[in-house]
Amino acid sequence: MKKIVITLQLLLSVAAFSQGFLHRDGQKIVDENGKNIILRGLGLGGWMVQEGYMLQTQPFASPQYQIRQKIRDVIGEKGTKEFYEAYKANGITKRDIDSLAKWGFNSIRLPMHYNLYTPPIEQEKNGETTWLEEGFIMTDNLLKWCEANKIYLILDLHAAPGGQGNDAAISDYDTTKPSLWQSEANQKKMIALWKKLAARYRDKEWIGAYDIINEPNWNFTGSNKNGCDENSNGPLRDLMVAVTKAIREVDNNHLIFIEGNCWGNNYNGIFPLWDDNMALSFHKYWNYNTKESIQKMLDYRTQYNVPIWLGESGENSNVWFKDALTLVENNNIGWAFWPMKKIENIAGVTSVTKIPEYDVLLQYWKEGGQKPSPEFAKKALMKMADNYKMENVTVKPDVIDAMFRQVQTNETKAYKKYNIPGKIVATHYDLGTNGYAYSDKDFVNYRVETNKFEEWNRGNTMRNDGVDILPCKDAGSNGYQVSFIEDDEWLQFTAQVKKQQKYKVAIRYSSEKAVGKLHLESQNGAKSQSITLPATGGKDIWKTVVLSDFELKAGQEKIKVVFEKGGFNLNYIEFLK
C-alpha cells in the first residue's frame, strides 16, 4: 500500500510539472489544459549564426562565412577553430537561461545554423545526408536548461542549407554557391534536417514549436529581390508543405510556425493552410506601433482561424519596445525579441564589452595596413569570446524594465537606491517611460506626428531611453553624463530623504558656450528657485553651482530636475545639509 501511495505521489508530482505540448486552439496558442499562452521570448541571435552587425564587422564582413574568413586570415585555421569553440561555449550557458527566466521570459527562440547539424552539400558524398553531433548537443543542453526553468524552446531554422534570402547576413548566404531556392539538394537537406529534429524531440514537451524557416526574402517571379512584391510564393509554400509532411511522419505533437516571404511578412499565395496544428509568424521592425501596423496579420488570424505570433522584433528604443509589446499583448499575440548578446549594445537585454585590441582588428579588416601578429589577434579574439560569458556582459535593466514592467504600468521605479543627503548621478534617472521617468523630445525612431525617422538617442551609450548619454571623464562621475539637453526636458529621480529640512543642491555641469537654466520640483509640491548655469568654456570643463533652500519631506521623494534652458551637460546633483 505504501508503494502505491508513493507511486501516486510521484505521478501527481510529474503531472504538476508537466504542461503538455503547446498547440493551436482556433486563434489561440494553448497548453494541454487549454490555458491561453502568451509567449514572451528572446531570440538567441549571434550564438549559432553570427551576423556582422552584432560583431561590428558589417561594413566588410556581414555573413558568417565572411567573418570566419577574416578571422582565419589573422589566426589561421587551428586558431579559428579554437576561437569558435570558446565563442559557442561562452555564448549561451545555463546561467544565461537562468537569467532570462528570472527577468520574466517564458520562451526562447533558437536561431539554428544548419551546418552545425549537417555538412554543406558540397561536402556530402553520393548525395547522402550525413549528420554532425555538435548542433544536436548544443540543442540538447539548451533544452535541459530550459526545462529546468520551465521555459519553452522554439527551434528556428535561421540559416537554411544554401541560404534562404538575398539579405545574406541573416542566413549566411554565400552568393558564389547555389542558394536554397536554386538547389534541390539543399531543399532535400533542409527537409531531412527537420525530420531528424522532429524525431529527436517529438516527446519533449518544453519544445514549444518548430519555426521551420526564418525570414525568407527571395524573388521568385517579382522584381523586388527580397520577395516583397511576390503574389504567389509558390516555391516557398511547396517547401514548407514538404517540411511539414516530413515532420508529421515522425511527430504529431508539436506546433509549427510558418513565415511569409519579405522577411517573414508576405503571405500572398501561402494560403490555404495545410496542417491543423500551425500558427503564423510575422516580424516587426522600425515602424509605427499602431493597430494598423499589424492589421493584416489580425485579418489573417480571423479569416483562417489561426494563431499569430510576433516571431522577431527589437532593435529600437525602450519607448518603442513598451508600445510594441503593449500593442501585441493587448491583441493576444506572443512575441520573441532580438537579440540576446551584441557588442556595445544599448537596445538589448545585455551588452558585450569591446576591448581596444578588437578595434585594432576591426580597423585592419576594414582598411588593411599593418597586419596584426597571430599572437596579438588570437589573444584579442579569445578575450572577446570570454566577454560573451554571462558573468562578463553588462545587463541592461532599463531594457528589461521596458519589456515587462512598463507594459503593465506607467509608474516609475528607482534605477538605483539613493539616500538624501547624498549624490545622485544624472544617468541614474528613474526606470520608466517618456513623460513619466523623464521627458525627452526624441525618444522613438518612427513618430506618427512627424511621419519620419528620427534618432532616439544621440549618445548611443549606457541606456536605451530617449535621454542622450555620453561617456564622462569628470571626477565624481559614474563614467557617463547626460548630454544634448534641450529646453523643457526633465529627469526624475527617486530617493529616500532621511530628514525633512531645506537642502543645498550642488549641480555639476559643463557647457562650451550656452547658458543653461534649471530648477527642481518634488512630488510633494516643493519647487526650487531657478538657477542659471553660465558657460564653463568647454564640454570637458566642469564646474559646480549651488542651489539653496530646497525643502524635502522625510521618506520617499520623487524629484524632477527641469531644464528650462538646455545646451549643457549634467554629471550629477548632490544634496547637502
Side-chain angles (χ1 to χ4, degrees):
M1 184 67 182
K2 184 177 180 181
K3 288 183 178 179
I4 295 174
V5 171
I6 293 172
T7 301
L8 286 171
Q9 287 176 336
L10 287 171
L11 289 172
L12 288 171
S13 176
V14 170
F17 284 95
S18 172
Q19 81 299 326
F21 297 98
L22 294 183
H23 63 276
R24 167 193 174 190
D25 180 7
Q27 298 176 28
K28 299 184 294 183
I29 295 173
V30 300
D31 64 15
E32 69 171 3
N33 300 313
K35 179 184 176 183
N36 182 62
I37 300 296
I38 295 286
L39 293 169
R40 299 180 176 95
L42 192 71
L44 305 184
W47 186 38
M48 286 187 168
V49 187
Q50 290 179 324
E51 297 182 38
Y53 85 100
M54 296 185 194
L55 282 83
Q56 298 189 356
T57 64
Q58 186 174 23
F60 48 84
S62 204
Q64 179 173 277
Y65 79 92
Q66 292 179 349
I67 298 168
R68 191 176 187 113
Q69 287 171 356
K70 294 291 185 184
I71 293 173
R72 189 187 302 119
D73 171 60
V74 292
I75 61 174
E77 185 58 44
K78 182 175 180 292
T80 299
K81 184 178 179 182
E82 291 175 9
F83 164 75
Y84 274 98
E85 286 175 352
Y87 178 88
K88 286 177 284 192
N90 298 339
I92 299 296
T93 64
K94 184 177 185 296
R95 182 167 178 170
D96 292 84
I97 308 309
D98 293 345
S99 298
L100 292 176
K102 179 181 177 181
W103 297 337
F105 293 97
N106 65 8
S107 56
I108 286 170
R109 181 171 179 252
L110 173 64
M112 303 179 297
H113 198 308
Y114 84 92
N115 69 10
L116 294 171
Y117 302 85
T118 180
I121 55 171
E122 61 267 22
Q123 296 178 18
E124 300 281 31
K125 296 179 180 178
N126 305 318
E128 297 284 333
T129 298
T130 57
W131 304 105
L132 304 171
E133 278 300 302
E134 183 177 13
F136 294 105
I137 292 172
M138 291 171 73
T139 308
D140 289 347
N141 289 334
L142 179 59
L143 177 58
K144 180 174 63 178
W145 303 329
C146 288
E147 288 172 338
N149 283 287
K150 299 182 179 60
I151 284 181
Y152 292 105
L153 176 59
I154 297 164
L155 303 185
D156 151 42
L157 187 54
H158 216 77
Q164 67 268 28
N166 281 307
D167 191 348
I170 295 170
S171 60
D172 196 20
Y173 169 42
D174 184 344
T175 56
T176 67
K177 299 175 182 179
S179 74
L180 176 68
W181 310 110
Q182 296 166 327
S183 166
E184 184 179 354
N186 276 330
Q187 294 180 31
K188 286 183 176 179
K189 181 176 278 287
M190 174 177 164
I191 294 166
L193 173 57
W194 270 116
K195 187 171 183 177
K196 185 81 169 178
L197 289 164
R200 190 181 187 98
Y201 299 114
R202 61 189 165 199
D203 297 322
K204 301 297 184 180
E205 295 180 353
W206 287 105
I207 294 286
Y210 303 139
D211 186 353
I212 59 178
I213 186 168
N214 174 71
E215 290 190 349
N217 57 99
W218 194 266
N219 55 321
F220 303 114
T221 61
S223 59
N224 182 279
K225 71 174 186 176
N226 300 116
C228 298
D229 62 355
E230 291 291 332
N231 289 315
S232 65
N233 287 308
L236 174 58
R237 186 184 196 277
D238 291 344
L239 182 58
M240 292 196 295
V241 169
V243 169
T244 304
K245 181 182 177 184
I247 290 172
R248 292 305 182 219
E249 287 175 0
V250 295
D251 180 357
N252 287 307
N253 293 324
H254 284 101
L255 179 69
I256 290 176
F257 287 124
I258 62 171
E259 298 188 27
N261 206 341
C262 187
W263 295 284
N265 297 308
N266 179 351
Y267 277 89
N268 294 333
I270 300 297
F271 302 107
L273 299 176
W274 54 91
D275 189 84
D276 291 334
N277 194 19
M278 182 173 283
L280 309 181
S281 173
F282 68 103
H283 293 187
K284 178 177 169 61
Y285 285 102
W286 298 78
N287 55 17
Y288 301 140
N289 288 315
T290 60
K291 192 173 183 182
E292 288 72 24
S293 71
I294 61 170
Q295 189 60 54
K296 182 176 284 189
M297 296 306 301
L298 294 173
D299 292 342
Y300 287 151
R301 178 169 70 179
T302 302
Q303 183 176 356
Y304 298 102
N305 192 36
V306 63
I308 58 177
W309 175 61
L310 177 55
E312 202 175 293
S313 187
E315 302 289 11
N316 215 303
S317 74
N318 286 341
V319 174
W320 195 92
F321 292 171
K322 171 187 181 290
D323 291 345
L325 296 179
T326 300
L327 171 68
V328 296
E329 291 203 13
N330 285 346
N331 283 279
N332 196 36
I333 302 170
W335 47 271
F337 258 46
W338 185 267
M340 174 69 178
K341 293 177 182 178
K342 193 169 75 173
I343 292 174
E344 298 299 338
N345 174 33
I346 66 167
V349 295
T350 71
S351 175
V352 178
T353 300
K354 182 172 64 171
I355 59 174
E357 293 83 355
Y358 186 66
D359 268 328
V360 173
L361 291 180
L362 293 177
Q363 184 174 357
Y364 166 71
W365 286 331
K366 182 179 180 181
E367 301 176 3
Q370 180 69 36
K371 185 176 182 177
S373 70
E375 295 77 17
F376 174 92
K378 186 175 180 182
K379 185 176 180 181
L381 287 165
M382 295 304 286
K383 175 56 180 172
M384 286 303 301
D386 191 64
N387 284 357
Y388 273 82
K389 291 178 180 177
M390 189 65 198
E391 57 264 38
N392 293 336
V393 301
T394 301
V395 176
K396 297 294 185 178
D398 57 300
V399 175
I400 298 166
D401 191 69
M403 295 172 67
F404 290 98
R405 192 186 64 84
Q406 292 178 35
V407 174
Q408 308 299 326
T409 179
N410 284 323
E411 290 183 9
T412 61
K413 180 181 177 182
Y415 184 87
K416 185 178 178 180
K417 184 178 179 181
Y418 278 111
N419 294 314
I420 294 177
K423 181 173 72 176
I424 301 176
V425 297
T427 55
H428 286 177
Y429 58 89
D430 284 356
L431 294 168
T433 196
N434 192 59
Y436 294 88
Y438 65 92
S439 179
D440 196 279
K441 294 180 180 178
D442 305 312
F443 56 87
V444 69
N445 72 328
Y446 272 109
R447 296 176 67 179
V448 177
E449 313 93 89
T450 58
N451 196 33
K452 66 177 183 179
F453 166 78
E454 295 180 358
E455 201 170 17
W456 76 81
N457 191 310
R458 283 178 279 176
N460 198 36
T461 188
M462 187 183 165
R463 294 179 68 166
N464 193 42
D465 301 308
V467 178
D468 307 301
I469 296 173
L470 288 175
C472 181
K473 297 179 181 179
D474 182 37
S477 78
N478 65 328
Y480 299 98
Q481 66 196 38
V482 173
S483 298
F484 305 107
I485 295 170
E486 297 186 47
D487 298 356
D488 301 321
E489 294 181 339
W490 51 262
L491 302 172
Q492 178 179 280
F493 302 89
T494 297
Q496 290 293 323
V497 181
K498 290 185 177 180
K499 181 180 180 181
Q500 179 172 343
Q501 66 180 57
K502 291 182 179 180
Y503 292 87
K504 291 181 178 179
V505 185
I507 299 157
R508 187 72 170 172
Y509 77 102
S510 72
S511 172
E512 192 165 2
K513 296 179 181 178
V515 176
K517 193 175 185 180
L518 64 75
H519 70 266
L520 274 57
E521 300 175 3
S522 79
Q523 68 181 22
N524 291 314
K527 182 177 179 179
S528 77
Q529 62 180 342
S530 296
I531 188 168
T532 299
L533 311 178
T536 64
K539 61 183 180 180
D540 294 321
I541 299 174
W542 294 87
K543 293 186 177 180
T544 303
V545 296
V546 178
L547 186 156
S548 300
D549 297 332
F550 183 54
E551 185 167 3
L552 294 172
K553 295 182 179 179
Q556 180 176 281
E557 276 275 22
K558 291 186 180 291
I559 301 162
K560 280 185 182 180
V561 180
V562 181
F563 308 121
E564 298 176 29
K565 190 169 180 58
F568 60 93
N569 305 302
L570 185 62
N571 180 350
Y572 61 80
I573 57 175
E574 185 171 8
F575 291 84
L576 309 168
K577 291 182 181 179

